[in-house]
Amino acid sequence: MLVIMKRERIESPAVETRAPGRPRSEEAHDAILGAAVALIREVGYDAVTMEGIAAKAGVGKATVYRRWKEKETLVIEAIGRIVAAIPIPDTGGAEGDLMALMRAALGMYADPASGLLLSGLVAAMARSERIAHAVRTGFDATWRAAVRQVLERAVARGELRAGLDIRLATDVIGGPLFYRYLMSGGPVDEPLAREIVSILLRAFAREGGG
Amino acid sequence: MLVIMKRERIESPAVETRAPGRPRSEEAHDAILGAAVALIREVGYDAVTMEGIAAKAGVGKATVYRRWKEKETLVIEAIGRIVAAIPIPDTGGAEGDLMALMRAALGMYADPASGLLLSGLVAAMARSERIAHAVRTGFDATWRAAVRQVLERAVARGELRAGLDIRLATDVIGGPLFYRYLMSGGPVDEPLAREIVSILLRAFAREGGG
Amino acid sequence: MLVIMKRERIESPAVETRAPGRPRSEEAHDAILGAAVALIREVGYDAVTMEGIAAKAGVGKATVYRRWKEKETLVIEAIGRIVAAIPIPDTGGAEGDLMALMRAALGMYADPASGLLLSGLVAAMARSERIAHAVRTGFDATWRAAVRQVLERAVARGELRAGLDIRLATDVIGGPLFYRYLMSGGPVDEPLAREIVSILLRAFAREGGG
Amino acid sequence: MLVIMKRERIESPAVETRAPGRPRSEEAHDAILGAAVALIREVGYDAVTMEGIAAKAGVGKATVYRRWKEKETLVIEAIGRIVAAIPIPDTGGAEGDLMALMRAALGMYADPASGLLLSGLVAAMARSERIAHAVRTGFDATWRAAVRQVLERAVARGELRAGLDIRLATDVIGGPLFYRYLMSGGPVDEPLAREIVSILLRAFAREGGG
DNA sequence: TCCTAAGCGAGACGGTACGTCCAGTCTTCGT
DNA sequence: ACGAAGACTGGACGTACCGTCTCGCTTAGGA
C-alpha cells in the first residue's frame, strides 16, 4: 500500500564548502519540484516533459538540469513530494485502528489524480530500479510502518496472535485495494475495507481466541 | 490477478464481415511481433522504437501503425507473447486447486518479462479506458473465471461456506502477489502463496467447520 | 499563350448500365481523367495525389496505374484536356481580331482556378521535359496558331508589314499578361490588353504606314 | 522580370529588439543554405529533401525548420543564392541602357538552375500570398526599379515620351522573355532582346521624334 | 567599489523518434 | 479478365523532446 508522505531531498549539491558565485535559488528549486508534482498529477508520469516542467516553473531548462542530471532523478524527488502524512491511529482496538488506516488509503484512491500517479509510478518502477527504490523506501515504507505499529500494538494487547507475519499481513491488507484499483476495476470502498479487516482479524486471531 | 492468456489481440480490425481489398498479411503481423519481442529482450522496454521494430521486421512503418495505433499497445502485446496460458486445475480439494492456481501465477511473476508487461499494462490502462476494458475482459477475466470455478467447486463440496463473496475472495488471493510484485518488492514465492491460501481457507471455511 | 476552357464533365456515375462482367474501361478512363483535371484546378498540380484522383474517380489505384505508368504521364494527359477550342476571330481588322484574342485570354486569367493551374503547370514543365512538351504542343500551340492566323491575315490585308516575326509578335502579345499574372501581380485587364495591342500595331505597322 | 538579388531573407525572425536566449547561429544558417544549393545542383529540385539538407549541413532538422517553415521556402531562398545582383546601367542612351538590363536578364536565363528557380517560385507564389509578396517586393521589385530608373532617365533626356506607362513598359520588356522561357520554349537570346528593345523604343518614342 | 565566479531565464543546438502521408506495387474477391 | 478495395515497402514530412550550449544579465563574496 502506499500512502504518500513527507520526504526530504534526494539529490542535492554538496553544500559543505562555501561556493563562490551566485548561490542557487531556493525559489527556483521549489518551483521546479512543485511544477513536476503538479504535472505528474495532471498528465501522468509518461507525459511529463522536462520542458513542460521548466516552463510551468517559469525557469530555464538549464536551471533544471543543473540540479537534476536527468528526468528520472527529478521525477523521483518530485514523487517524494506527493506525500500525505499518515497519522498512526490509536482507537484502543485492532479493528478500529486498521479501519482508520484503511480509510486513509481509501481517501487516496478516491483522489482522481491517483490513478495516473499510481500507474505511472508502477511503470516507472518497473523501468528504473532507482525509482523503485525511492518509492519503496519512500511512501510505501511509511504505510508499512504505520500498519506494523498498529499490528504490534494489537499483538501486545493480545488481540492478534504473537508471531504473525507482519509483512504478509500488510500485503494482505493493502494488496486487494491496490489490485482492484489498478487492475480489476472493482469498487475500492468502505465495504471492501471492512471485509478485508475482518478476514485479517479472523485469520490472525490469537490462538484459542474468538 | 492476471495470468496472460493466448493472444487476445487488444487492437484488432473488425473481422465480422469479409473485408474487400487485400487482406492483412499474417506474416507481417508475426514478423512485427517477433521483432518487438526480440528488441525488448535486446535493448529493453524503453529503448524499443517503432522504427527499429519495423526495420527489424522488414516492414514499412505504416504496416505497423495500421495494426497498432501506438507504441504502447504493440509493446504490451509483444510482451504478452512471452507469457503463457493458465489451465483450470482439479485436484479434488480446495487447497490443492488454489495452490495450483497460485503456482501458475507464481510462474508468471517469475518470468522477468512480467514486470514490464504488468507495469506497462497498468500504465496503459490508466491512460486508456479502451485498453483497461480489453485487459479486464481479457487477461484478468480469464484468471477470475478460473478462481471462480475453483471456489464454486469448493463450496459445492462443502469445503467453503456458501454465499462467500467470490469477487472479494479473488482479490484477496491475487492482490497481495500483485502488490508485492509491483510495489513493495517482497518475494512472490511459494510460502507467500501458501499463507494466502491458508488465510482464505480459514476466513471462508464452512461455518462450524474445522 | 494558353487559353483554358471551362470544361465540366467531371463526374461519371451513370451506373445505370447493367454490367454483365464486362469491362467498362472507357468510363473508368474518363472518370480518372476528369478527376485529375478537377483536382489540378482545385488544389494545384503539386497537391494532386494519385490516391486523391483514384478516390475522386471512384476507382482503385491499380486501375489508374494500369493505364498510366506514373503520375506524370497521367497529369500530362489530364492537362491536355484542359484546353478550350479558341475561336479564331474575324472582325475585319487587325485590332479587332487581336482584341478578340486578348479577351479570350483575359477570360482565362479571370478564372480563379487558373492561377493554381498555370503555376502548377509551369513548375511541372520545369521538372519534366515530357510535360513541357505536352503543354507546348497542347494548349500553347493552339493559342499560337490562332495568333498566327490573325497576324497573317493582317499582313495579307496590308495592315501589318510583311515579314514580321510572328513568333516574336506572339510572345509580345502574350508575355506581358503571363508575366503580370504570375509574377508582378498587376491587373490583367482590358486596358492592359488594349495597350499591348496598340504597341504591337505601332511596332509592326506597314512601313510607311500611318 | 526578375533578376535575383542579394539575399532578401523570406523568413526571418523579428530582429528589431534584442531577442533573449541564445542567438541563432549564422554558421548553421549558411551551412543549411549551402547544403541546399549543393543538393539542388546534385540531385535536382524535386529530389531535394529537408533531411538530406540537414544531414549535409551537419545540422538538426529542428534547426532547419526553425528558420524555414517549409521546404519550399528554404529551397526558394537557396536557389536565390545562385543568382547575382543587377547593376543599374548608364550608357548614356536608352537603347544601351535597356540592352544592358536585357543582358543581365539573359544571363540569368542562361543559368540552368534558373528554370527550376523560376518555376518553383511561381508555383510557390500561387500557393502562398506571403511568398508572392516576398518575391514581388524582393526579387521582382529590384528589376522593376532598375527598369524604371533607366526609363525615367530616357524620358528626362527626351528619348522617350513623357507620361509613358512605366509599369506597362516594364512588363513589355520582361514579359516576353519570361513567357518564352517558362512556357513557349523559344530561344531567350540577344536577338529577342534586341527586338523587344526596338519595339519598346518605337512604341514609346517621343511624339514627333524620330 | 569593483572583480569574478556562478547563478538566472530564454531559447538555439544536434539528435532521435514520433505518427502521418504518398508513390508505386501487389493481392484478394466479386462481377 | 476486369475492376474496386485496400494492404504492401519505402521514405520524407513536420513536430516534439532530450540533454547541452550560449546569450546577456543578476547576485553574491572577496579583493
Side-chain angles (χ1 to χ4, degrees):
Chain A
M1 198 55 260
L2 82 169
V3 171
I4 318 293
M5 53 159 263
K6 180 127 290 138
R7 223 176 151 247
E8 272 331 289
R9 181 89 18 87
I10 287 170
E11 291 278 341
S12 71
V15 220
E16 294 179 14
T17 62
R18 181 60 50 84
R22 178 175 176 176
R24 292 191 181 168
S25 151
E26 196 60 38
E27 281 177 34
H29 200 101
D30 290 348
I32 293 165
L33 245 8
V37 168
L39 284 173
I40 290 169
R41 299 187 79 103
E42 279 170 31
V43 302
Y45 174 87
D46 313 19
V48 171
T49 68
M50 289 302 250
E51 300 202 330
I53 292 171
K56 185 163 195 131
V59 139
K61 279 170 67 177
T63 301
V64 179
Y65 279 102
R66 205 171 286 121
R67 290 169 164 74
W68 295 274
K69 200 183 145 9
E70 57 209 351
K71 186 179 169 179
E72 185 176 87
T73 327
L74 167 56
V75 170
I76 289 170
E77 185 166 347
I79 287 170
R81 285 267 168 131
I82 310 177
V83 281
I86 171 169
I88 295 178
D90 190 0
T91 63
E95 182 169 4
D97 286 359
L98 288 171
M99 279 308 295
L101 248 22
M102 278 304 209
R103 282 188 200 104
L106 293 178
M108 186 205 63
Y109 286 122
D111 182 339
S114 300
L116 273 178
L117 170 62
L118 224 43
S119 61
L121 232 42
V122 161
M125 290 169 75
R127 281 202 277 264
S128 157
E129 189 42 55
R130 292 165 65 202
I131 292 188
H133 183 257
V135 173
R136 283 181 189 133
T137 60
F139 37 74
D140 190 45
T142 307
W143 160 262
R144 305 185 78 81
V147 175
R148 164 182 301 272
Q149 194 155 330
V150 161
L151 292 176
E152 285 176 345
R153 231 189 276 132
V155 169
R157 275 194 301 257
E159 291 182 276
L160 297 181
R161 75 152 157 271
L164 87 162
D165 182 339
I166 287 188
R167 162 141 233 174
L168 170 67
T170 312
D171 291 339
V172 170
I173 291 177
L177 277 67
F178 183 80
Y179 172 56
R180 223 178 234 207
Y181 187 71
L182 289 180
M183 175 59 60
S184 75
V188 181
D189 55 9
E190 181 99 9
L192 174 64
R194 201 177 302 282
E195 292 283 6
I196 290 169
V197 168
S198 150
I199 289 172
L200 201 90
L201 292 176
R202 265 180 286 159
F204 292 117
R206 191 176 44 148
E207 264 127 35
Chain B
M1 196 57 248
L2 85 170
V3 172
I4 313 309
M5 289 294 303
K6 254 325 187 1
R7 185 151 78 80
E8 191 72 46
R9 181 90 23 87
I10 287 175
E11 290 276 344
S12 72
V15 219
E16 295 178 14
T17 63
R18 178 64 48 85
R22 178 175 176 176
R24 293 193 180 166
S25 153
E26 196 61 39
E27 281 178 33
H29 201 101
D30 291 348
I32 293 166
L33 244 8
V37 168
L39 283 173
I40 289 167
R41 290 195 192 284
E42 280 171 30
V43 304
Y45 182 96
D46 308 22
V48 172
T49 68
M50 291 300 251
E51 302 200 329
I53 291 170
K56 183 160 196 131
V59 139
K61 279 170 68 177
T63 300
V64 179
Y65 280 104
R66 206 172 284 122
R67 292 168 162 73
W68 295 274
K69 204 187 139 12
E70 48 193 10
K71 181 182 168 178
E72 190 169 74
T73 327
L74 166 56
V75 172
I76 287 170
E77 183 167 346
I79 294 177
R81 283 257 167 141
I82 300 172
V83 198
I86 176 176
I88 295 178
D90 189 1
T91 63
E95 183 171 1
D97 285 0
L98 289 171
M99 279 307 296
L101 247 22
M102 279 306 211
R103 279 189 202 102
L106 293 177
M108 185 204 66
Y109 285 122
D111 185 331
S114 299
L116 259 15
L117 167 60
L118 241 32
S119 62
L121 234 37
V122 159
M125 290 169 76
R127 264 198 293 276
S128 155
E129 189 43 50
R130 265 186 38 255
I131 294 185
H133 183 258
V135 173
R136 284 184 187 130
T137 60
F139 299 168
D140 192 46
T142 306
W143 161 261
R144 304 184 80 81
V147 174
R148 165 183 302 271
Q149 194 157 330
V150 161
L151 292 177
E152 284 175 347
R153 233 188 277 136
V155 169
R157 275 194 301 255
E159 291 182 277
L160 297 181
R161 77 153 157 270
L164 84 158
D165 181 339
I166 288 190
R167 163 141 229 174
L168 171 68
T170 312
D171 291 338
V172 171
I173 291 178
L177 277 68
F178 184 78
Y179 172 56
R180 217 177 239 207
Y181 188 70
L182 288 181
M183 174 59 61
S184 75
V188 181
D189 55 9
E190 182 99 6
L192 173 64
R194 200 176 302 282
E195 290 284 6
I196 289 169
V197 168
S198 150
I199 288 172
L200 200 90
L201 292 176
R202 264 180 286 158
F204 292 115
R206 191 177 44 147
E207 263 126 38
Chain C
M1 204 52 254
L2 80 170
V3 174
I4 282 122
M5 193 174 78
K6 282 272 173 350
R7 232 173 138 101
E8 285 317 301
R9 142 131 224 52
I10 284 153
E11 295 300 330
S12 70
V15 215
E16 304 271 348
T17 62
R18 61 214 77 112
R22 273 310 170 196
R24 42 180 271 205
S25 81
E26 198 55 46
E27 274 179 39
H29 199 99
D30 289 350
I32 293 165
L33 243 11
V37 168
L39 283 173
I40 291 170
R41 300 185 77 103
E42 279 170 31
V43 302
Y45 174 86
D46 315 17
V48 171
T49 68
M50 290 301 251
E51 301 200 330
I53 292 171
K56 185 162 195 134
V59 138
K61 279 169 66 178
T63 303
V64 179
Y65 280 103
R66 202 172 289 124
R67 290 157 205 287
W68 294 274
K69 197 182 147 7
E70 59 211 349
K71 186 179 170 181
E72 184 176 87
T73 326
L74 167 56
V75 171
I76 289 170
E77 187 166 343
I79 287 170
R81 287 264 170 131
I82 314 178
V83 204
I86 170 166
I88 297 177
D90 190 0
T91 63
E95 183 169 2
D97 286 0
L98 288 171
M99 279 307 296
L101 248 21
M102 278 305 210
R103 281 190 201 103
L106 293 178
M108 182 205 66
Y109 286 122
D111 182 338
S114 300
L116 273 178
L117 172 60
L118 223 44
S119 61
L121 234 41
V122 161
M125 290 170 75
R127 280 202 277 264
S128 157
E129 188 42 52
R130 293 164 65 202
I131 291 187
H133 184 257
V135 173
R136 283 182 190 131
T137 60
F139 40 72
D140 191 46
T142 307
W143 161 261
R144 304 185 79 82
V147 175
R148 165 181 302 271
Q149 194 156 329
V150 161
L151 292 176
E152 284 175 346
R153 230 188 277 132
V155 169
R157 275 194 301 255
E159 290 182 279
L160 297 181
R161 76 153 157 269
L164 85 157
D165 181 341
I166 287 187
R167 162 141 232 176
L168 171 67
T170 311
D171 292 338
V172 170
I173 291 176
L177 278 67
F178 184 81
Y179 173 56
R180 222 178 235 207
Y181 187 71
L182 288 179
M183 175 59 60
S184 75
V188 181
D189 55 9
E190 182 98 9
L192 174 63
R194 202 177 301 281
E195 291 283 6
I196 289 169
V197 169
S198 150
I199 288 172
L200 201 90
L201 293 177
R202 265 180 285 159
F204 293 116
R206 190 176 46 146
E207 262 125 37
Chain D
M1 198 54 256
L2 84 171
V3 172
I4 312 313
M5 288 295 303
K6 255 322 190 0
R7 187 153 78 80
E8 192 73 44
R9 180 91 22 86
I10 287 175
E11 289 277 345
S12 71
V15 218
E16 294 177 15
T17 62
R18 179 64 47 86
R22 179 173 175 176
R24 294 192 179 166
S25 153
E26 196 61 39
E27 280 177 34
H29 200 102
D30 291 348
I32 293 165
L33 246 7
V37 167
L39 283 173
I40 290 166
R41 290 195 193 284
E42 280 170 31
V43 303
Y45 181 95
D46 309 19
V48 171
T49 68
M50 291 299 251
E51 301 200 330
I53 291 171
K56 184 162 196 132
V59 139
K61 277 170 70 176
T63 300
V64 179
Y65 280 103
R66 207 171 284 124
R67 292 169 162 74
W68 295 275
K69 203 186 141 12
E70 49 195 10
K71 181 181 170 179
E72 190 169 73
T73 327
L74 166 55
V75 172
I76 288 169
E77 183 168 346
I79 294 177
R81 282 256 168 140
I82 300 173
V83 197
I86 174 174
I88 296 177
D90 189 1
T91 64
E95 184 171 1
D97 285 0
L98 288 171
M99 279 308 296
L101 247 23
M102 278 305 210
R103 280 188 203 102
L106 293 177
M108 186 204 64
Y109 286 122
D111 183 334
S114 298
L116 260 14
L117 166 61
L118 238 36
S119 61
L121 232 38
V122 159
M125 290 169 76
R127 264 198 294 275
S128 153
E129 188 44 51
R130 267 184 39 252
I131 294 185
H133 182 258
V135 173
R136 283 182 189 132
T137 59
F139 300 168
D140 191 46
T142 306
W143 161 261
R144 305 184 78 82
V147 174
R148 165 183 300 272
Q149 195 157 328
V150 160
L151 292 177
E152 285 175 346
R153 234 188 275 132
V155 170
R157 276 193 300 255
E159 290 182 276
L160 296 181
R161 76 153 156 269
L164 86 160
D165 182 339
I166 288 188
R167 163 142 232 176
L168 172 67
T170 312
D171 290 338
V172 171
I173 291 176
L177 278 68
F178 184 80
Y179 173 57
R180 218 177 239 206
Y181 188 71
L182 288 180
M183 175 59 61
S184 75
V188 181
D189 55 8
E190 182 99 8
L192 173 64
R194 201 176 302 281
E195 291 284 6
I196 289 169
V197 168
S198 150
I199 289 172
L200 200 90
L201 292 176
R202 264 181 285 158
F204 293 116
R206 192 176 45 150
E207 263 126 36

